[in-house]
Amino acid sequence: MRSTTRIPAAAGTALALALGGLVLGFGAGTAHAASCSRSYLPLPDPACTPGAYNPDVTQSTIQSTICVSGWTATVRPPTSYTNALKVQGIADYGYANTSTTAYEEDHLVPLELGGAPRDPANLWPEPYSGTKTATTKDGVETRLKNAVCSGRITLAAARNAIRTNWTTALSVTGIG
């Protein structure tokens, strides 16, 4: 798993250049080697992005957290935080396309299901390309949240299904 601080403090200059569109390796004269496997796509590498939960969201708090319209906006981290993680994640996953616009820095366990907002273990650069993409996952997240809030499934069941394999989460939970 990637450490909770994916970008070393000494890489501040490299980070500024990376955010400006130029991705550099972090060692003098060496390229930054990929440390996460793309073989799991459209899922993240579970060793790098295992998912993490927000401790404030439990089955007993869903009516005052995730089931409240607009609640996710109160916990969503700013892009100034997630963009730095996205740049590092693109390098960690060894994506050939290093354009940050090709990816969404996505929460594996979505905020809509009480995923940890700022934990790098819950964030990864999910591609917009392919047949099952970041956009496709958004619809799954909404349907699961609606099922949790209506009492059709438990929060634990929804979290487990999406964390294990978001592409089968709806069928596994019986939602669709």
Side-chain angles (χ1 to χ4, degrees), residues 18-19 83 86-87 90 97-105 128:
L19 290 173
N83 281 347
K86 186 191 297 189
V87 168
I90 289 168
N97 181 351
T98 58
S99 171
T100 58
T101 61
Y103 309 93
E104 175 180 320
E105 187 67 5
Y128 284 122

Side-chain angles (χ1 to χ4, degrees), residues 73-156:
T74 68
V75 296
R76 185 174 307 282
T79 56
S80 59
Y81 176 78
T82 58
N83 281 347
L85 290 177
K86 186 191 297 189
V87 168
Q88 183 63 47
I90 289 168
D92 288 347
Y93 275 90
Y95 290 133
N97 181 351
T98 58
S99 171
T100 58
T101 61
Y103 309 93
E104 175 180 320
E105 187 67 5
D106 198 25
H107 293 89
L108 176 59
V109 179
L111 300 179
E112 291 87 345
L113 294 174
R118 290 177 167 261
D119 189 334
N122 197 41
L123 288 153
W124 74 296
E126 185 174 19
Y128 284 122
S129 62
T131 57
K132 294 184 179 183
T133 67
T135 305
T136 309
K137 184 173 176 273
D138 290 343
V140 173
E141 295 169 0
T142 299
R143 290 185 66 192
L144 287 172
K145 183 200 86 157
N146 290 341
V148 168
C149 292
S150 70
R152 290 179 54 204
I153 61 172
T154 65
L155 177 63

Side-chain angles (χ1 to χ4, degrees), residues 6-85:
R6 294 194 316 205
I7 301 172
T13 302
L15 174 59
L17 291 170
L19 290 173
L22 178 61
V23 178
L24 300 174
F26 291 105
T30 62
H32 180 72
S35 58
C36 302
S37 176
R38 294 182 310 275
S39 67
Y40 298 92
L41 288 173
L43 308 174
D45 180 336
C48 294
T49 311
Y53 303 141
N54 179 342
D56 296 333
V57 180
T58 64
Q59 188 67 46
S60 64
T61 66
I62 61 171
Q63 294 305 321
S64 62
T65 56
I66 66 169
C67 298
V68 174
S69 180
W71 180 81
T72 59
T74 68
V75 296
R76 185 174 307 282
T79 56
S80 59
Y81 176 78
T82 58
N83 281 347
L85 290 177

